[in-house]
Amino acid sequence: QVQVVESGGGSVQVGGSLRLSCAASGDTNSINYMAWFRQGPGKEREGVAAIRTGSSSTYYADSVRARFTISEDNAKNIIYLEMSDLKPEDTAMYYCAADTPPYGTWALLSERKYNRWGQGTPVNVSS
C-alpha cells in the first residue's frame, strides 16, 4: 500500500508564499496521479492541483492557476505545491492524495479518484 504525509503548512501574510511537501512511501510505483486538495473553514473539500507521476502533466483549479505550481521529485517520491500571492481565501487544511489501484476514472480534481490520503497540513493566510 501507499502512504502519503504532508508537511510545510503554516501562517503567512497576504501576498506571501509557502511550499507544501507530500512524501509518498510504500508501493510508490503503483501511483498514477497525485493531487492536492484543500478544505477551508465551513467549506467542502476541493481539488487544487494534480500531477501525473513521472510526467510533466499538471492540472489546476481555476482559483489557483498562475499562483500555485505542483511539481514532483520522482527520485525522492515527493510532490510539492508552491503557493504564491496567497490570499485569505486560501486559508484551509491542505491534503495530499494518491491515485492507486484500482485506478479511479473520475476527474483529476475529484476526491473520488484518489484512495490514499494524508492527514493534512494547515495553511493560514492573514492580512
Side-chain angles (χ1 to χ4, degrees):
Q1 286 195 355
V2 169
Q3 296 82 40
V4 294
V5 179
E6 308 94 335
S7 62
S11 295
V12 63
Q13 292 190 324
V14 169
S17 300
L18 206 59
R19 187 178 79 163
L20 306 182
S21 300
C22 172
S25 60
D27 186 14
T28 56
N29 288 330
S30 70
I31 299 174
N32 191 19
Y33 287 89
M34 292 189 73
W36 287 98
F37 288 77
R38 69 184 181 186
Q39 186 167 17
K43 299 180 180 178
E44 294 186 353
R45 189 153 57 181
E46 63 172 346
V48 173
I51 186 167
R52 184 166 188 174
T53 56
S55 81
S56 58
S57 299
T58 57
Y59 309 86
Y60 297 94
D62 289 342
S63 58
V64 305
R65 197 184 307 277
R67 298 190 298 122
F68 290 11
T69 301
I70 188 170
S71 62
E72 69 171 337
D73 183 333
N74 207 30
K76 295 182 179 179
N77 295 315
I78 297 176
I79 67 165
Y80 302 99
L81 186 68
E82 300 267 5
M83 306 184 293
S84 62
D85 189 22
L86 284 162
K87 307 178 183 204
E89 52 264 40
D90 296 317
T91 294
M93 185 69 80
Y94 283 72
Y95 298 91
C96 176
D99 175 30
T100 68
Y103 300 117
T105 58
W106 302 96
L108 295 180
L109 295 182
S110 169
E111 290 183 68
R112 297 182 180 186
K113 180 168 179 61
Y114 300 90
N115 52 16
R116 296 290 181 265
W117 292 82
Q119 294 300 307
T121 186
V123 172
N124 182 57
V125 183
S126 59
S127 56

